[in-house]
Amino acid sequence: MKTKQHISGRFLLVFSLFFLLCGTVKTSAATAPGRIQGLKCGITTKNSVNLSWQGQSGISGYQIYRSMAYDGQYTRVKNINPSMNAFCNKKLLEGQEYYYKVRSYISSPEGIAYGKFSKIRRTSTKKPFSQNAIVCKRANLRKHAGTNHPVITTLDEGASVTVLASAQDKEGGAWNYISCFINNRTVKGYIYSNLLQKQQASVRQYGKVTALRLNVRTNAGTNYPVIASLKKGKKVILLGQKKAADFSVWYLIQVKQKGKSIQGYVSSRYIKPV
């Protein structure tokens, strides 16, 4: 005759096996896919951006997320078929900066397993024309849009810059992604839009140097540093003009020298428009 202790032991054994089997079923949910690799921003137009990445197998699809700020809130743009590893984001703002990240996912009866997001990629839609601007007052040039990001350098009042794209900080504040020439090298970064005086776009004009040697300076006036010297007959692009403190007129010019593009100011007395 079986004792109560023996029956109780068998019951515990059966219960343990049942618990183990149930646990195995629960852990059979889909494993999360790997992180997306190779995200690239390809051809852009005034209103669209093309994305591509390395495809994955055994997934249910991809999710595209976008933000207008590097550290801003990202929102889902679209879910993509698993057989595709590219996407064209249309109906975007002209000359605007955007940030993207992508992840894959696997759907199962137990739920959805999401992979880790790809690295963030920056891009911008095309501007209809290159826009020049002058720094209104001494201002910091930052690594990303927002005063919480590191300062790259400080720009003096009157410094000339080229606006590459419109940008936003995480609070939605208006910034510009710009390039400028400092110590004969191109520096790119972000500056608050209110600190720039943008110049009207116009038909490109050219001029030629008439002096034997003409200094290119960081601002209008002989008291500003020289960044380059041009020989007689050198052809330059005329971007605009500005009056110096002594009321003399100076041209903002752009010129290529030794394979590098240089922007600066030269006295209009020594430039002949062509």
Side-chain angles (χ1 to χ4, degrees):
M1 182 175 179
K2 295 181 180 179
T3 65
K4 290 182 178 180
Q5 185 177 3
H6 184 66
I7 294 172
S8 177
R10 291 188 62 184
F11 175 79
L12 288 172
L13 178 62
V14 171
F15 178 80
S16 298
L17 289 172
F18 176 78
F19 177 80
L20 288 172
L21 287 172
C22 287
T24 302
V25 171
K26 285 184 179 179
T27 56
S28 64
T31 303
R35 183 178 187 177
I36 294 294
Q37 302 291 332
L39 176 62
K40 296 179 181 179
C41 296
I43 297 173
T44 63
T45 69
K46 291 190 301 181
N47 304 110
S48 68
V49 167
N50 283 282
L51 305 172
S52 64
W53 56 90
Q54 293 177 13
Q56 294 180 338
S57 58
I59 63 168
S60 302
Y62 302 99
Q63 291 185 330
I64 314 296
Y65 279 73
R66 182 187 71 207
S67 176
M68 293 178 74
Y70 172 76
D71 50 356
Q73 182 177 354
Y74 284 75
T75 57
R76 189 175 65 187
V77 178
K78 194 171 184 178
N79 284 11
I80 301 296
N81 189 292
S83 64
M84 301 178 65
N85 62 323
F87 172 65
C88 181
N89 194 188
K90 300 178 181 180
K91 297 181 180 180
L92 300 176
L93 297 175
E94 189 176 278
Q96 178 68 45
E97 180 178 79
Y98 292 96
Y99 292 88
Y100 291 91
K101 59 183 180 180
V102 179
R103 69 178 178 182
S104 55
Y105 64 94
I106 297 175
S107 297
S108 70
E110 288 76 25
I112 302 177
Y114 296 100
K116 291 183 178 180
F117 279 108
S118 66
K119 290 183 178 179
I120 295 171
R121 294 299 180 204
R122 175 206 170 275
T123 189
S124 59
T125 51
K126 291 187 179 298
K127 290 175 67 67
F129 52 82
S130 178
Q131 188 173 32
N132 300 295
I134 301 296
V135 178
C136 300
K137 63 179 181 179
R138 190 172 171 83
N140 289 327
L141 189 68
R142 296 184 179 270
K143 185 175 181 180
H144 296 290
T147 55
N148 56 312
H149 294 292
V151 175
I152 299 172
T153 188
T154 301
L155 302 178
D156 291 328
E157 181 180 350
S160 59
V161 303
T162 300
V163 177
L164 303 175
S166 298
Q168 287 186 10
D169 59 28
K170 61 183 179 180
E171 284 83 24
W175 290 66
N176 283 125
Y177 182 54
I178 62 102
S179 70
C180 56
F181 293 90
I182 300 176
N183 297 327
N184 285 332
R185 67 186 183 94
T186 301
V187 178
K188 295 180 180 180
Y190 296 81
I191 187 172
Y192 199 60
S193 293
N194 286 351
L195 299 176
L196 293 179
Q197 180 183 350
K198 295 175 183 176
Q199 300 173 330
Q200 295 294 325
S202 59
V203 178
R204 178 165 286 187
Q205 294 182 320
Y206 296 89
K208 279 189 177 181
V209 176
T210 59
L212 292 177
R213 197 170 191 85
L214 180 61
N215 288 330
V216 182
R217 299 180 182 271
T218 58
N219 206 344
T222 56
N223 56 318
Y224 289 98
V226 175
I227 58 175
S229 292
L230 307 177
K231 294 181 179 180
K232 186 176 182 178
K234 182 70 175 179
K235 192 175 182 180
V236 301
I237 301 172
L238 304 179
L239 301 175
Q241 63 182 36
K242 183 180 180 180
K243 284 188 178 181
D246 61 359
F247 301 103
S248 60
V249 178
W250 290 64
Y251 283 127
L252 173 62
I253 62 104
Q254 181 175 313
V255 63
K256 276 196 173 182
Q257 195 174 58
K258 296 181 180 179
K260 294 183 178 180
S261 185
I262 299 171
Q263 269 189 27
Y265 288 85
V266 295
S267 174
S268 63
R269 292 175 56 191
Y270 307 108
I271 293 290
K272 180 182 179 182
V274 294

